[in-house]
Every structure is written in structure tokens, then in C-alpha cells.
Amino acid sequence: MTDELAAPTPAEREPVEPELVESESGRSESGKPQSGKPRMRADAKRNTEQIRRAAIDAFRGRGLAVPLEDVAKAAGVSKATVFNRFGGRIGLIEAVIEELVAAELYAIVDHARTIANAGERIAYYLAAIRELQYRQPAVNDVLLQMYPESQQLMAICHVAGEFNAELIAAGHASGELRAEFRTDDLEALVHDSALALKYGTRPPVADYDRRTTFLLDGIRRPRE
Amino acid sequence: MTDELAAPTPAEREPVEPELVESESGRSESGKPQSGKPRMRADAKRNTEQIRRAAIDAFRGRGLAVPLEDVAKAAGVSKATVFNRFGGRIGLIEAVIEELVAAELYAIVDHARTIANAGERIAYYLAAIRELQYRQPAVNDVLLQMYPESQQLMAICHVAGEFNAELIAAGHASGELRAEFRTDDLEALVHDSALALKYGTRPPVADYDRRTTFLLDGIRRPRE
DNA sequence: CCACAAGTTGACCGATGGGGTCAGTTTATC
DNA sequence: GATAAACTGACCCCATCGGTCAACTTGTGG
């Protein structure tokens, strides 16, 4: 599977999308023999994985806009090799975004869905998503759709967006969420956090968490 | 007075600060004759005012980062003339920031101070400052201290910062503000708004105002 | 071991957006 | 009319980073 997910070789670079689609189809169809000879040299395979790991580390600490030169250096290869193996930044993002962002984000969504009480579900989700945003700059790049050419990035946003709507509906149905607080308000709230973290100074964690509390209290339905 | 506040002429450009200081001192000391011959040609004087007005318009719609080329074009002069008359962006900001930002911001502060009830004062101030931020991109550049070399800009921030502390103290003394909400929380709140407006998409005004309400409700002391 | 294609790379190019400069020209003033 | 103030079109520079390519290196199969 790693072979198919690796960036196309230089010869295949132009039809990047068709190649990936083709690989996906091939993987989806059972019965395809995996015993064929490897399509990538050992050094290329090794480099690809090193670049992938270096990208995950770099993106994790500094977000998706890290200079590719830095990723290459951390992987011990030249920048041109990053282009050769992954086609560029988008290809690199596509290769790591599942492990880097989607896994954790979807885990939060999945866990939230197990919480029966709507008010608690919203409180859990908002706190968890904000904590993830605080800790993971790449998450903010995703939520802000900084690289819309990345299909996987956009798919993650789509999932998060749908869950926002789900949360709001449940909160209103249960009466625990103030009536005027809408899906786009929740989206703006998360989006503004992303912008503040991306372009501002990250505050001490205690301050940040305290402010999550204020936000939550501002969207609860007042008790009569 | 406009003459003294105009940018130095090319010959005086290097000692920009001393010249301004000197002009300030001269103005402060009474008795200096104002009947002397003008120190600027009529065209220079006219251009300086045109640039000033063009800058106010441009900064008002798009913030302090507007390309100087755009300001020059709107003023009907060359970019070099902007440099000649104002020394550059900082000089231009210094020439307009009082009228552009300080006047309105200080009016909000002054009016807030007339409100006796602390809770209402905070509500008024937060709504008014957020409304100003929404309407005036330049205000966000000021609050974000985008140009720290501008003394007047930094002075405005200082005033706003002191008023934040005043507000918080009054809110706590009256018991209408939740105890954990601190000065730096208020500053972060305003700051985050500035970042969201500067780097994000400006939402419809109704949505924005609604969100001001949520913020306010999140910082009020809960009623027992 | 050799041939050869895959794979890598150091050096370089180009884009971007706008700040800033200057020699030549124009204009206001005395 | 002389002259200094003022203006300007053309150009330079910057800093960063995405992207390319001819030359070189390396892995693989026969």
C-alpha cells in the first residue's frame, strides 16, 4: 500500500491525479496480486518514507506552510527529491494529512458522537477541537482551507462542517444551546480561533483554556 | 500647525525625528511668531494635503498596509513625492492616525467613562470597539501594533490598554464581571477579533453583532 | 561485472509585491 | 530670468521560496 500512496515518479508526474485514482481503484479491487516486482528502487522507497516522516514532524510543529527546503533537509535529501517523489507541497500534504490531522480530528468527532447529552457533547467537542487547534498548527491550516487544491484536506473540512451542523441541531433539539446560536456561528468561532492562533501569539495554555470556558458559557441557553 | 506636521522636505529628511521634536518644542513655546514667510511652496503644500487625504481614504477602506503606490495615484502624484513629503509609510501614518483612528477610539473610551454602571460600561465598550473594528480596518492594524515604529500608533494602543484595565477593575468591583475574566482576557478578545477581521472574511454585520452578544454573555458573572 | 535506466542533486531561475532611490525635468518664487 | 524647490519615470533591491535541469550517482537485472 505504501508503494501506491507514494508520490509518482518523475516520469509519471504529469498525470498525478489519474495515477492516484488508478492506484486507488487497483487497491479497492480485491484480487490484485501484490507479489509483483517492486516498482520503486530501494533508495527511492527509503527516501520517500524519510521525506514523509520529516514532513509529518515539520508540519506538526509549524503547520503546513513549512518551507519544503526545511522538510528536505530534515529528511536528508535535496529539495528536488521532494518534488520528484511527491510533486510538491500538495502531494506531500496528501501523503501525510490522514496521519497528521484526520486521525485525531475524526477521533474527536467519533468520541463526541458517543456522548448522549447534547450540551455535554457540544462542550466536549468545542474544548477538544480548540485544544487540538492549540497544539497542532496543521489543524488550523486545514480548517482554514489554506490549500484547497488538496482533496484530502478539503474532505476533512467537509466532515468537520457536517459535524458542526449535527451538533447545533442536537443542541437546539435538547434546548441546551441558545436558540440564536447557529451552525455558522460555531464555524466562525472555530475559524476565528484558527486565525488567531495562526497569525497571532499563542497564549499560555491556562489562559487559552479559560477563554474556552467563556466561549462555552456564552453559547449556552440561559437558565430561567 | 499643518505645516509643522507635514513631512520634512528632502533636505531635512535625515534628521526626521529631531526636526519633528524641534517643531513640537517650537509650537509648545508661546510667543513664536507665525507671521514669517511660508516654508513650503504652494504646490508642495497642496500636494501634501492631497496625499494626506488620499491616505485617509485608502487606509479607511483597506487598512494601513495599502501600497503607497495606490495612495500616490489617488493623490495624483508620484510615489516618490509621498516619500519626499512624508518620508514613507510611517511618516504618512503619523500624519493621519489621529484623524483616522484616535478620534473615534478615544470618543468611545470617553463615552464609556460617562456610563455609571460598570456592567453597562463594559457592554457598551465591547460592542462599540468591535463595531469600530468591523468598520475600520485601520483600527485593527493599530490594535495589532502592525507598525510599532509609529509613535502615535503605539500611544493609541497604550491608551486603549489602560482603559481595558480600568474596565476590568470596575467590572470586578461591581461584581458584574465574572471573577476569572481578566484584563489580558479582554485584550485577547479584542486582539483575536482584529486578527479574524484582518486575515479572515468579514462576516455579514448581523452575524458579527450576534457574536458580540455571545461574547458578552460569556464574560458576565452568572446570576445565582 | 557491466549496461542502463532510475533516481538524486547543486546551482540556478523566476515570481512576488512593494519599499526606496536618483538623474533629469518641471515649477514656483523672488 | 535665475534658481532652488519640488516632482517624476524608470529602475533597483529585497527576501523568500517554489520550481527546474543538466550532470552525476546509484540500484538493479542480465
Side-chain angles (χ1 to χ4, degrees):
Chain A
M1 185 161 83
T2 304
D3 288 351
E4 283 90 13
L5 285 183
T9 56
E12 296 162 333
R13 188 183 297 174
E14 290 205 10
V16 168
E17 298 264 310
E19 178 69 11
L20 281 177
V21 172
E22 190 173 332
S23 300
E24 287 288 321
S25 301
R27 192 166 57 96
S28 302
E29 295 169 7
S30 58
K32 172 142 184 173
Q34 293 295 329
S35 56
K37 51 187 177 179
R39 296 162 44 214
M40 208 185 300
R41 264 169 40 177
D43 58 341
K45 196 167 174 181
R46 189 172 54 244
N47 283 334
T48 301
E49 185 55 26
Q50 279 171 348
I51 294 169
R52 229 190 109 261
R53 289 189 182 286
I56 288 178
D57 285 347
F59 288 159
R60 185 158 276 153
R62 298 152 65 190
L64 302 180
V66 170
L68 296 181
E69 175 69 56
D70 290 0
V71 176
K73 185 166 295 187
V77 300
S78 81
K79 184 172 57 164
T81 303
V82 177
F83 280 90
N84 290 338
R85 304 255 65 74
F86 292 92
R89 184 177 298 283
I90 300 302
L92 197 52
I93 289 173
E94 293 282 281
V96 305
I97 203 71
E98 162 66 40
E99 179 175 342
L100 184 66
V101 170
E104 273 194 86
L105 190 59
Y106 292 168
I108 289 172
V109 169
D110 289 345
H111 185 257
R113 281 186 171 133
T114 68
I115 298 171
N117 180 280
E120 281 167 25
R121 192 186 313 161
I122 292 167
Y124 164 76
Y125 179 74
L126 194 56
I129 200 75
R130 275 184 50 94
E131 192 271 333
L132 184 61
Q133 287 180 286
Y134 182 87
R135 201 169 30 81
Q136 268 261 51
V139 170
N140 294 315
D141 287 327
V142 168
L143 296 174
L144 294 172
Q145 298 182 14
M146 297 303 301
Y147 299 98
E149 319 92 74
S150 164
Q151 295 193 341
Q152 288 190 48
L153 182 151
M154 296 305 283
I156 296 168
C157 284
H158 185 71
V159 170
E162 288 194 324
F163 187 64
N164 284 339
E166 193 180 313
L167 268 187
I168 298 298
H172 286 157
S174 76
E176 306 202 48
L177 193 61
R178 62 191 302 171
E180 332 81 295
F181 192 75
R182 307 181 328 199
T183 300
D184 61 318
D185 292 319
L186 177 57
E187 280 165 357
L189 200 156
V190 172
H191 212 259
D192 289 356
S193 296
L195 289 167
L197 287 166
K198 184 179 174 67
Y199 297 107
T201 308
R202 200 172 75 144
V205 65
D207 295 342
Y208 185 79
D209 290 344
R210 188 173 65 251
R211 290 164 202 163
T212 300
T213 305
F214 303 148
L215 292 175
L216 275 171
D217 287 346
I219 67 174
R220 277 201 185 96
R221 185 173 181 176
R223 296 167 178 266
E224 302 295 339
Chain B
M1 184 162 81
T2 304
D3 288 349
E4 283 91 12
L5 284 183
T9 57
E12 294 163 334
R13 188 183 297 174
E14 291 208 8
V16 168
E17 299 261 312
E19 178 69 9
L20 282 177
V21 172
E22 192 174 328
S23 300
E24 289 286 324
S25 302
R27 196 165 54 97
S28 303
E29 295 171 7
S30 58
K32 173 144 183 172
Q34 293 294 329
S35 56
K37 49 187 179 179
R39 292 163 42 213
M40 209 186 299
R41 262 169 40 179
D43 59 340
K45 197 167 175 183
R46 186 171 59 245
N47 283 336
T48 299
E49 185 55 26
Q50 278 172 347
I51 294 168
R52 230 189 110 261
R53 290 189 181 287
I56 288 177
D57 285 347
F59 287 160
R60 186 158 275 153
R62 299 153 65 191
L64 301 180
V66 171
L68 296 181
E69 175 70 57
D70 291 0
V71 175
K73 185 167 294 187
V77 301
S78 78
K79 186 172 59 164
T81 304
V82 176
F83 279 91
N84 290 337
R85 303 256 67 77
F86 292 93
R89 183 177 299 282
I90 300 302
L92 197 52
I93 288 172
E94 292 282 282
V96 305
I97 203 72
E98 162 64 39
E99 179 176 343
L100 184 66
V101 170
E104 274 195 87
L105 190 58
Y106 292 168
I108 288 172
V109 170
D110 290 344
H111 185 257
R113 280 186 173 134
T114 67
I115 298 171
N117 179 280
E120 283 168 25
R121 193 185 312 160
I122 291 166
Y124 163 75
Y125 180 74
L126 194 57
I129 200 76
R130 274 184 51 94
E131 192 271 333
L132 184 62
Q133 286 179 284
Y134 181 87
R135 203 170 26 82
Q136 268 261 52
V139 169
N140 294 315
D141 287 327
V142 168
L143 296 175
L144 294 171
Q145 298 183 14
M146 296 303 301
Y147 299 97
E149 319 90 77
S150 164
Q151 295 192 343
Q152 289 189 50
L153 182 150
M154 297 305 284
I156 296 169
C157 284
H158 186 70
V159 170
E162 288 193 324
F163 188 64
N164 284 339
E166 195 180 311
L167 270 187
I168 298 297
H172 285 158
S174 77
E176 306 202 46
L177 192 59
R178 64 192 297 172
E180 331 85 296
F181 191 76
R182 310 184 322 201
T183 301
D184 62 318
D185 292 319
L186 178 56
E187 279 165 359
L189 201 155
V190 172
H191 213 260
D192 289 356
S193 295
L195 288 168
L197 287 165
K198 184 179 175 67
Y199 297 108
T201 308
R202 202 173 73 146
V205 65
D207 294 344
Y208 185 78
D209 291 342
R210 186 172 68 251
R211 289 163 201 162
T212 299
T213 306
F214 303 148
L215 292 176
L216 275 171
D217 288 346
I219 67 175
R220 277 201 185 96
R221 185 174 181 175
R223 295 171 180 264
E224 304 293 341

